Amino acid sequence: MIIVKSPKEIEKMRAASRIVAEVLARLAEEVRPGVTTRELDALSEKLTHERKAVPAFKGYKGYPFSLCASVNNEVVHGFPSERPLEEGDILSMDYGVSFRGYYGDAAVTVPVGRISGDAERLLAVTRDSLLAGIEKAVAGGRLSDISHAVQSRVEEAGFSVVKKFVGHGIGRRLHEDPQIPNYGPAGQGPVLRPGMTLALEPMVNAGDFEVDILSDGWTAVTRDGSLSAHFEHTVAVTEDGPVVLSLPG
């Protein structure tokens, strides 16, 4: 069941989502060669608690960290580790919080020092595909309009969208209906209505779309070893168009 939110509820979600945006922005400032993702995980918790919020991922279905930190060919759900980041890496950071009963969720992929031109292009296309999906989050449209917009932008650039993982509704729970694939034909699925709140999150591989799950039961990696990028925003469908909630205040 898709839960439609009131304007008051959307403002509460905006507050939670802004905390996520602020934490991710601060983490991005710390990303450089020599930093470990465990250090970034600890910082994410500190910043969240300072804002009187609760990390959303830690303990969720047994996930042991607050931050999902996925490096290079890791797609999503990467465990923070003591491995120092290296020049030329790319780091995907997925983060969520619970604040006053509502959730926010967002992700960003950032360069570690100077990265290759191919990696820069992957990040740019993935970011653009998220924006293309957001543009289709309009009342009266269909859910799969978002999916189709993401896939079209990705594949016209020669990359592939991950099909194993999807975006999702969000609100009083971290994951609500509907599921939002990043692929498929337009014009299908539920009609978008004002008050729907969606976590849109393209995951894009430089190579093939297939992924494998490592022995930790969480970390997803590209099967062919190619780089992967991930961007996400929490978005509200309104009568005046899509509103991105996960932007810094």
Side-chain angles (χ1 to χ4, degrees):
M1 180 180 69
I2 299 174
I3 302 172
V4 173
K5 310 327 186 279
S6 68
K8 186 175 181 180
E9 287 178 303
I10 289 174
E11 286 308 305
K12 291 180 178 179
M13 290 187 62
R14 189 197 301 271
S17 299
R18 278 180 172 170
I19 292 172
V20 174
E22 291 168 1
V23 170
L24 285 175
R26 182 70 179 85
L27 295 181
E29 292 175 357
E30 295 298 318
V31 172
R32 61 179 65 88
V35 170
T36 72
T37 49
R38 284 293 295 270
E39 291 172 327
L40 296 174
D41 180 63
L43 179 58
S44 71
E45 285 198 21
K46 177 177 179 291
L47 295 170
T48 301
H49 292 148
E50 286 176 353
R51 289 160 174 78
K52 310 301 183 187
V54 177
F57 300 165
K58 192 168 189 178
Y60 181 78
K61 295 186 177 180
Y63 186 77
F65 300 97
S66 294
L67 178 69
C68 292
S70 306
V71 182
N72 293 335
N73 69 318
E74 296 174 348
V75 180
V76 286
H77 306 154
F79 280 12
S81 76
E82 299 294 347
R83 168 196 177 277
L85 294 171
E86 299 179 4
E87 185 88 11
D89 287 341
I90 61 173
L91 171 64
S92 297
M93 297 184 291
D94 188 0
Y95 199 65
V97 306
S98 172
F99 183 65
R100 297 177 180 173
Y102 289 84
Y103 283 90
D105 191 5
V108 62
T109 304
V110 297
V112 182
R114 296 186 64 180
I115 62 175
S116 70
D118 288 343
E120 287 182 348
R121 184 166 170 267
L122 174 65
L123 267 59
V125 169
T126 308
R127 188 186 303 110
D128 287 349
S129 74
L130 172 58
L131 297 178
I134 291 170
E135 288 179 357
K136 294 296 184 179
V138 294
R142 294 277 186 170
L143 186 70
S144 74
D145 295 346
I146 298 170
S147 309
H148 183 70
V150 170
Q151 183 179 22
S152 297
R153 178 66 186 95
V154 169
E155 293 184 351
E156 71 186 10
F159 298 135
S160 62
V161 294
V162 173
K163 297 182 178 180
K164 185 175 181 63
F165 303 104
V166 298
H168 52 92
I170 185 170
R172 283 190 171 274
R173 293 184 294 134
L174 180 60
H175 292 106
E176 296 182 349
D177 289 335
Q179 293 190 346
I180 310 165
N182 290 305
Y183 64 95
Q188 298 184 2
V191 174
L192 300 175
R193 297 171 52 195
M196 287 184 179
T197 47
L198 311 171
L200 307 183
E201 50 177 326
M203 290 147 274
V204 177
N205 294 348
D208 188 72
F209 72 89
E210 294 284 2
V211 303
D212 293 315
I213 309 299
L214 297 185
S215 59
D216 61 27
W218 284 94
T219 306
V221 299
T222 58
R223 183 167 295 173
D224 60 9
S226 62
L227 293 178
S228 187
H230 178 203
F231 285 84
E232 177 181 15
H233 272 308
T234 296
V235 178
V237 179
T238 78
E239 293 181 353
D240 299 319
V243 174
V244 178
L245 303 180
S246 49
L247 294 173

